[in-house]
Every structure is written in C-alpha cells, then in structure tokens.
Amino acid sequence: MKKLIFLLVLSVLMIGAVWAQGAENFENHTLSGTTYVNGSFVGSNNITWTYVQVTGEQTYPIENKGILLRRSDAPSSIKSSTVSGGIGSLSVQMRKAFTSTGDRQIALYINNTWIANSQTFGAPSGGDTTVHTFSVDNINITGNVTIELRHITGNTSNRQLVIDNLTWTGYSGGGTPTVSAPTFNPAGGFYTTAQNVSLSCETESASIHYSTTSAEGPWSDYTSAISVSGATTIWAYATKDGMVASSVTSATYSFPVEVTNIAALRASATGTTVYKLTDEAVLTFQQTNRNQKYIQDDTAAILIDDATGVITTSYNLYDGITGIVGTIGLYNGMLQFTPTQNPGAATSTGNTVIPEVRTLASLTSADQGKLIKVTNVTLDTTSGSFSATAQSITVTQGETTGTIRTFPATDYSNTVIPSGAVDLVCLVGQYNTTMQISPRFLSDFSTYYDIPEDVVTTVGSSDVLITGGPANIVPEGVIPPVNNGSFTASQSMVLNLIGDGPWNITIDTDALWGAYHRSGVWTEVANVGGFITFEGITAAKDMDLPIVLGDEDPTLPVELSSFTYTINTANLLVLQWVSQSETNLSGYKVYRNSVENLETALLVSPLIDATNSASTANYQFVDEENLVQGAYYYWLQSLDLDGTNSFYGPISVNYVLQGGEAGNPVVPLHTHLKPVYPNPFNPIAFIGYFLTEAAPVKVLIYNARGQIVARWDNAPALEGMNRVEWNGNDLSGSPCGSGIYFVKMLTEGKVYTQKALLVK
C-alpha cells in the first residue's frame, strides 16, 4: 500500500512539471518502545537523519513505520544531512499520537532558518486518527540544503505527534530563488573563552551583511571573522543579484560571570544570571532524586539541583569538578545551583574532605550544603526504622533540638534507627527558617566516644587531640610504675584506643614531661610550646594506653636524644644512639626481634658501658650476625646501677638481600612525608617529602578544628626529594595563630601525615 501512495505522489508531482528531488518514509530506523532517545539513521538516497527526543511509532502509525515527536521543550526534531540540488517545495504527513488534549504543530527549517509552521491539529482529548498534510510551496532555495522538522507545541507537556511520507522537490528554476540564510560557526551558545565567529552562505557568491545592534541594523558587510568576548547577538542576512534576499537569522553568544569560589557564588545575585565557578569543588554526595549533587571547597558548599539532567558526566564521590556553569536560586530557604551545561570529566579524584565538627545550635544558612560532624547526639526512635522515602526525625544534642531530614532510597533505608548517643557525619540543609542535617550513608552513623578522632576534647585539666582513631577513658585504669622514683604525676589517664591506628596524641598541658606505656616500656616526650605529642603509636588491635604527665622525665636516669641506624661499608647494620645526660647508669644492651614484640626479643650485644656524663655521649653497636631477608626490630635497654632498667625503641629495619646474597642489606627508599623543619617554626615551615617515582601530589594543612588553612593541589611531584614552604598564612593570606597544625600529603591513593607547631 505504501508503494502505491508513493507512486501517486510522484505522479502528482510530474503533472505539475516539477520533478521530485527525494522522499523519506522512515522505514530504515530501528526505534522501538516508549523511550525518547537521540540518535541517527541512514534513510533513502543515502541521507542521514539525526533525531532528538523521538521514538519509533507503531501504535499510532500513518503507514508502517513513522517517527514520533515528543514536545517543544525537549526539543523534539529530525534533521537531514546535506541535500544537494536545492529545494523547491516540501510535503509531509502528520497525525496525533496518544489521547492527551492540546494542539500539535511542527515547523519547517531549511539551513537552520525558519520557513513555515504547519497547521495545528489534535486539540480535543481522546483518539484522533486523522492524517494531515503539511505542504510548503515556493521555497526556492538553491545549492546544498538541510531539511529539519521541529515540534513547536507543548513546552513541558507532552504533545506527541507522528510524521511520515516526507517528500520534497529540488529547485528547478521556477519563481524567484531565495538566497540561503547565513550560518554561524561556532553556533550561538554559552562559551567560557572569546570566540571568532565566521559567517557563511550556501548560495554561491552571495554577500553577507551583519549587525550586532538589532535585527533592523545598522548593517555592515561581512569580510572576516567577528571577535566575540562578551554577551553578544549577531544578526545576519545574505543577498545576491537576481535573487530574493534571505531572511534575517541570528545567534546569541553568552559568557558566564566568573566567580572563584563557592563563598563568592553564594554571595551573588539569584535569578537568570549565569555564573561559572572557576576553582575546583569537591563532590561530597550525589543522588538520583533530581540528579542532586553537593559540592564543597575551602570556603563554603552548595547544592546542585539538576532536575533536567544537564550534567551527563558520571562522577565518583570526592571527585574534583572544575568549571561548573549555571544559575542560582532559592527553594524554601535553601540556596541551589542549577547547571546550564555539563562541566566535563573530573579534574581530580580521591580528594579528602574532613567534616567540620559543629554543634546543632551553631548552624546557620551560611553552612548550607557543608559536610559536618555533630557528636554525642540522640535520635528519636519512635518510628523504629528509617523510611525508604524522605523523612524528618527529631535529634537532640544537650539542650538543643534539631531535625534530621533523611535522603530517599539510601543504604540506611529500612534499617533500625540507632538508640543511644552517636556521632553523625551529615550535610547541612534548610527548610524555610529551620536548619536541618542529612546523613548520606549508613557509615555516617558512628558510636560516640569520650574522645572522638580529630576533635579537641577536655580530659581533666588538659585538652587532648587524637588522630588515627577515637578513644574512651578507662575508669580507674592501672598506671604501671615509672623508672624515675622521684617522679610525681600531675595528671594520669588510661585511654582505650579504638580503630586501626597508628595514633597520634597531642596534649595541651603545662606539664614539662609526658610518657605513655606500651609493651612493657615507658616512652617519654618533652613539652614543646605547651604541647606534649605522642606520635605513631601502633597496636594489632584496640589497646589500653597508660599516660602520665609531670614536671620530671619519668624514664630517667638516662635521657636519649636519638636512637637510629645506618649501614657501614661492610653492609652491616650499625645502631647509634646519643644520650644528653647520664647518672648512676651501668650501661646499655641491644635486643632484636623479627616481630614487634619486646618480650620475645633476643639479646644481641654485651653490656656497653655508660659514660655517666652530664654532657652529650655517643654510642654505637654493629650487628655482625648474618641476617636473612625480612623485617627486624631493635630495642635499647639502659641499666641503672641499682638494678632498674628502661627500654627505648623499637626502630624498624626492612632488611633486603641484594643479588640474592646474605650480608648485603639494602635500606630501600620509599615514598614518605618527612618531619616538618624547623619544628616549632615561625614564620616559615619547610615540608619535604620523597617520591619513589613521579606522581601527582596534593599537600593540605589543617588546624586543630579540622579546617583547611593552606593547600597545594599541584605540589612538586618529581621522583626523589621535593618540598613546599608554608609561610604560616591561611588561604585568605591572614597569619595563622599559634598552635598545632597537621600536614597531610596525598599521592597515589595514600595519605601521609606529620605535625607542625607554630609558635609566635
């Protein structure tokens, strides 16, 4: 039947003495189902048809296969590749699809220039099988052309219609031909850099005229590319002797207002102004609901609300995104960023965002979108379990009551609401005047601890900061005896360290000395700048750690300033230690073990006599045993004349055989962050690190509250030694105050930490 109709159409065209240039019945497409898609297919005459938001039509056919257009805002359309020979006239069949009320209408564009609109049809509700014909005569455009049919009704409401049996004639010399409208390269749109816009016309030898003032001119003759660097509309038309001038066509070029950070973005005006965030922001959460994403930088955070799915790139949590473009607006008190273009691939991955520890009472609108942590809060468990949909739950912290607003379809949906006190990582939201917090994942809920990780906590008369894991205070914990019989503790505590470690413990105290007890050994640390810091405490599992503070060294009678090792020319391990002072000391012995356990360590040295000097003394011991490849740990024992003793260490050695032969130990180089020098410092701190091979490096400096105060996102990253220098100023250029700062180096998915003390 379709072949017969096609022959009839050709017959009609032949009667009019104008030969058909081409026809398309859409039989070659493979579209099916009800999903609207973008794509292309090759049709008749080897013409490629590109379509936007359409599907194949079998339920409401005109004849066999057709193309179903959705609505105007999609925007549903179908467009040909280049058709040679110009175009004289065009005809296409169309009909209503589905039963929704409302007019249907399409428009014809030739060479991206509007030619004519079809009649409207299909407004009443219910089915309508009427097939309508949209015909346009006297188009008369010469040269190569493109044919496009656009859906122009419905806006955001579906107004589905089907098209089929498209035919057109080439330009055969009848009537007065019309010059093709000029085209723009690049096309109008949003750009982030200046553009040189070229104008061209398919009509050979046509003259192009343009204006940047209005569609009425004044007009200039086009001779070379037009430079555009700000918001600009270019109008253009083309002329040629003996032909009708083309219609005026235009292209608008827009350039977003650039803001460097999220704080500046949040301070900008809401409305239709398009902004570009030039600095990188880190993704802290995303969900399928409205394609929402939360991003944060060192200054602030904001919610991206992307209901129409403009951002098509897939990102992972903590990816860095640069060049986000869009508008900002308020939704019930919540500032939202609506993207207008896809920012493209992530510019970094695996970033670290440390939640800022806050109280419920302290939250304001400026905190919207931030990743924070609230500690020791209690949730209302009346409903029993979290809902799979968004849900409001009362939360309390001390005397403050707040609201948890859950995200829908999370991994904590339908799980039991935890009872008792918890710490909670969450995002800050707002509904009208009410501040809200929203946990992202089940892992955002954690047990409350007496001393949470990375939170300065008052214990007795001191403030304690622990990294590497939280801790609980052990009531009436046992304090082992110290070596110094005259030592009196001004404060003591036993901490149960929880997690995997290693732990660093910083104590803000006036005590001159502190020591912790582990594996039968007291390790002492002197007060520097008002802080005692125990670093690199490790354990195979959670452990109890006794700590004492006082004004004397609890581990005397010997005061060591170093305990290290080197390799001599015979490739043997040489242990070296330096004592600052010695009193009533018999001497030293060295112990070795292949595991970090002093109790099973072997004595490998004779008694090494002490000098008992009030000044510095240097010692060494050469381990001449033929060791096998592996890790070794060494302890130094000091023996007092009255029979008491102390242990120092362990120091660890990774003993590696070279060439498969014993006796050739090699100390392998490894990627590491060196201690800050000098420490304490004022005002310059040198932060050195070693890389076994070149790799991207990021260096961050945090204050005791977990806030980033300095950063190097692209730190030197050459193989070997590298260094950055910190002048003690924060990100705004203001001097930081005295106190402890934490240095983190991130490279190849690993994190290395050191501590620095700024003393003014």
Side-chain angles (χ1 to χ4, degrees):
M1 178 62 70
K2 176 165 282 192
K3 182 179 293 185
L4 177 58
I5 291 176
F6 178 61
L7 291 175
L8 289 173
V9 171
L10 285 178
S11 299
V12 171
L13 294 174
M14 292 173 64
I15 292 171
V18 181
W19 291 91
Q21 175 71 17
E24 179 57 58
N25 58 15
F26 304 111
E27 293 297 316
N28 289 351
H29 76 68
T30 58
L31 298 166
S32 63
T34 58
T35 301
Y36 299 98
V37 295
N38 304 338
S40 64
F41 69 92
V42 178
S44 302
N45 302 321
N46 204 33
I47 294 172
T48 298
W49 294 89
T50 301
Y51 49 82
V52 176
Q53 286 296 285
V54 306
T55 187
E57 186 45 49
Q58 291 80 38
T59 307
Y60 301 90
I62 294 175
E63 190 171 3
N64 296 329
K65 289 186 178 181
I67 292 290
L68 187 148
L69 305 180
R70 187 180 188 184
R71 63 183 186 230
S72 60
D73 85 322
S76 293
S77 65
I78 185 162
K79 182 178 181 180
S80 74
S81 57
T82 299
V83 176
S84 60
I87 186 168
S89 61
L90 177 140
S91 178
V92 65
Q93 292 180 316
M94 54 191 182
R95 64 157 288 183
K96 181 179 180 180
F98 295 97
T99 60
S100 59
T101 187
D103 288 331
R104 273 79 165 159
Q105 190 176 28
I106 61 174
L108 170 64
Y109 282 74
I110 303 297
N111 293 336
N112 299 316
T113 300
W114 175 85
I115 300 298
N117 291 342
S118 75
Q119 67 272 38
T120 59
F121 62 93
S125 61
D128 181 3
T129 61
T130 305
V131 175
H132 305 269
T133 300
F134 171 34
S135 297
V136 184
D137 297 325
N138 298 319
I139 301 173
N140 296 333
I141 295 178
T142 63
N144 295 330
V145 297
T146 58
I147 301 171
E148 182 180 5
L149 296 172
R150 298 183 189 176
H151 197 318
I152 59 173
T153 55
N155 195 7
T156 59
S157 299
N158 284 337
R159 294 288 186 268
Q160 296 97 332
L161 62 88
V162 175
I163 62 171
D164 201 351
N165 295 327
L166 171 65
T167 62
W168 64 93
T169 65
Y171 175 66
S172 61
T176 302
T178 301
V179 181
S180 295
T183 57
F184 302 81
N185 184 27
F190 277 101
Y191 293 92
T192 57
T193 59
Q195 301 294 308
N196 290 320
V197 181
S198 298
L199 306 183
S200 60
C201 180
E202 289 288 346
T203 302
E204 186 177 355
S205 301
S207 298
I208 301 175
H209 316 278
Y210 76 94
S211 172
T212 57
T213 303
S214 74
E216 287 76 37
W219 301 98
S220 300
D221 293 336
Y222 173 76
T223 57
S224 61
I226 305 165
S227 179
V228 176
S229 59
T232 304
T233 298
I234 301 175
W235 291 268
Y237 72 97
T239 60
K240 184 177 180 180
D241 290 344
M243 300 179 69
V244 176
S246 75
S247 59
V248 175
T249 187
S250 66
T252 299
Y253 299 85
S254 300
F255 296 82
V257 176
E258 294 188 351
V259 291
T260 57
N261 54 48
I262 297 179
L265 177 65
R266 294 187 64 89
S268 301
T270 59
T272 59
T273 301
V274 178
Y275 300 95
K276 179 183 179 183
L277 183 61
T278 58
D279 286 359
E280 185 179 66
V282 176
L283 178 69
T284 58
F285 181 64
Q286 58 186 337
Q287 62 171 339
T288 56
N289 181 37
R290 300 182 65 85
N291 302 302
Q292 289 183 336
K293 294 174 175 62
Y294 287 77
I295 57 172
Q296 183 168 331
D297 63 14
D298 296 335
T299 66
I302 198 167
L303 165 64
I304 296 177
D305 186 66
D306 186 15
T308 59
V310 170
I311 298 179
T312 56
T313 301
S314 296
Y315 298 108
N316 295 317
L317 200 63
Y318 301 119
D319 276 356
I321 310 173
T322 303
I324 300 174
V325 176
T327 60
I328 53 177
L330 279 173
Y331 176 76
N332 290 329
M334 184 75 174
L335 194 67
Q336 297 184 155
F337 188 85
T338 302
T340 56
Q341 68 183 49
N342 183 44
T347 49
S348 65
T349 60
N351 294 285
T352 300
V353 178
I354 298 178
E356 182 179 340
V357 178
R358 298 290 297 274
T359 63
L360 293 178
S362 71
L363 299 179
T364 68
S365 296
D367 299 310
Q368 290 179 0
K370 277 186 184 177
L371 188 66
I372 68 164
K373 183 176 184 179
V374 290
T375 64
N376 194 14
V377 298
T378 304
L379 281 65
D380 181 0
T381 60
T382 302
S383 61
S385 298
F386 292 109
S387 172
T389 58
Q391 174 187 22
S392 294
I393 299 173
T394 300
V395 59
T396 57
Q397 185 184 49
E399 300 298 320
T400 303
T401 298
T403 299
I404 287 179
R405 182 65 176 177
T406 65
F407 291 115
T410 63
D411 63 347
Y412 57 80
S413 296
N414 300 317
T415 65
V416 176
I417 298 175
S419 59
V422 297
D423 291 342
L424 183 59
V425 174
C426 50
L427 292 161
V428 180
Q430 184 171 347
Y431 184 74
N432 295 327
T433 59
T434 302
M435 301 306 300
Q436 299 178 331
I437 57 174
S438 299
R440 305 164 302 165
F441 317 109
L442 186 60
S443 59
D444 283 344
F445 297 84
S446 60
T447 304
Y448 169 72
Y449 298 102
D450 294 331
I451 309 176
E453 182 179 11
D454 294 323
V455 178
V456 176
T457 305
T458 300
V459 180
S461 59
S462 304
D463 287 338
V464 179
L465 176 67
I466 299 180
T467 63
N472 285 323
I473 299 173
V474 180
E476 301 180 359
V478 177
I479 303 293
V482 300
N483 300 332
N484 186 351
S486 64
F487 174 81
T488 300
S490 60
Q491 184 177 357
S492 61
M493 65 188 82
V494 177
L495 302 181
N496 178 241
L497 303 179
I498 300 168
D500 297 324
W503 295 270
N504 295 326
I505 303 175
T506 301
I507 304 175
D508 184 351
T509 177
D510 293 332
L512 301 180
W513 288 90
Y516 66 88
H517 190 269
R518 182 184 179 280
S519 300
V521 178
W522 281 101
T523 300
E524 82 289 351
V525 174
N527 190 311
V528 178
F531 296 92
I532 293 174
T533 301
F534 306 133
E535 296 183 322
I537 302 171
T538 60
K541 58 181 179 180
D542 297 352
M543 63 174 294
D544 287 350
L545 187 77
I547 294 174
V548 293
L549 306 176
D551 290 336
E552 294 184 38
D553 180 356
T555 65
L556 288 176
V558 61
E559 179 182 356
L560 287 188
S561 60
S562 68
F563 180 30
T564 60
Y565 73 91
T566 61
I567 304 295
N568 66 14
T569 57
N571 285 321
L572 296 175
L573 287 168
V574 180
L575 300 176
Q576 300 169 323
W577 61 97
V578 178
S579 68
Q580 295 299 111
S581 64
E582 298 169 351
T583 56
N584 297 318
L585 188 65
S586 174
Y588 301 90
K589 291 182 180 180
V590 177
Y591 289 78
R592 184 187 68 227
N593 204 343
S594 59
V595 295
E596 193 177 0
N597 188 338
L598 176 61
E599 294 180 355
T600 60
L602 297 176
L603 176 64
V604 295
S605 77
L607 179 67
I608 301 169
D609 292 333
T611 62
N612 284 306
S613 170
S615 59
T616 299
N618 295 277
Y619 298 88
Q620 75 172 27
F621 167 72
V622 180
D623 190 351
E624 297 182 347
E625 184 170 341
N626 193 14
L627 301 175
V628 297
Q629 178 171 289
Y632 292 90
Y633 299 86
Y634 287 87
W635 289 263
L636 183 67
Q637 180 188 29
S638 64
L639 293 89
D640 195 4
L641 291 174
D642 63 6
T644 60
N645 62 82
S646 301
F647 284 89
Y648 304 89
I651 57 173
S652 62
V653 177
N654 186 14
Y655 187 89
V656 179
L657 298 182
Q658 190 176 62
E661 297 179 3
N664 293 311
V666 175
V667 180
L669 298 175
H670 59 281
T671 295
H672 64 281
L673 176 64
K674 298 178 70 64
V676 176
Y677 176 82
N679 199 8
F681 72 95
N682 182 18
I684 302 296
F686 300 102
I687 301 167
Y689 49 92
F690 184 88
L691 302 178
T692 56
E693 59 182 23
V697 173
K698 178 182 289 189
V699 177
L700 305 173
I701 297 179
Y702 299 84
N703 61 21
R705 295 184 62 192
Q707 299 168 316
I708 297 176
V709 297
R711 67 187 302 156
W712 294 262
D713 290 329
N714 295 290
L718 299 177
E719 179 179 347
M721 285 302 303
N722 297 268
R723 189 177 80 176
V724 298
E725 298 178 9
W726 182 38
N727 60 5
N729 292 341
D730 62 18
L731 292 168
S732 67
S734 301
C736 293
S738 297
I740 292 180
Y741 294 85
F742 300 92
V743 181
K744 288 193 175 183
M745 179 183 76
L746 297 85
T747 181
E748 295 186 312
K750 295 183 178 180
V751 179
Y752 305 83
T753 61
Q754 288 288 351
K755 177 179 64 69
L757 180 63
L758 175 58
V759 178
K760 294 188 174 181

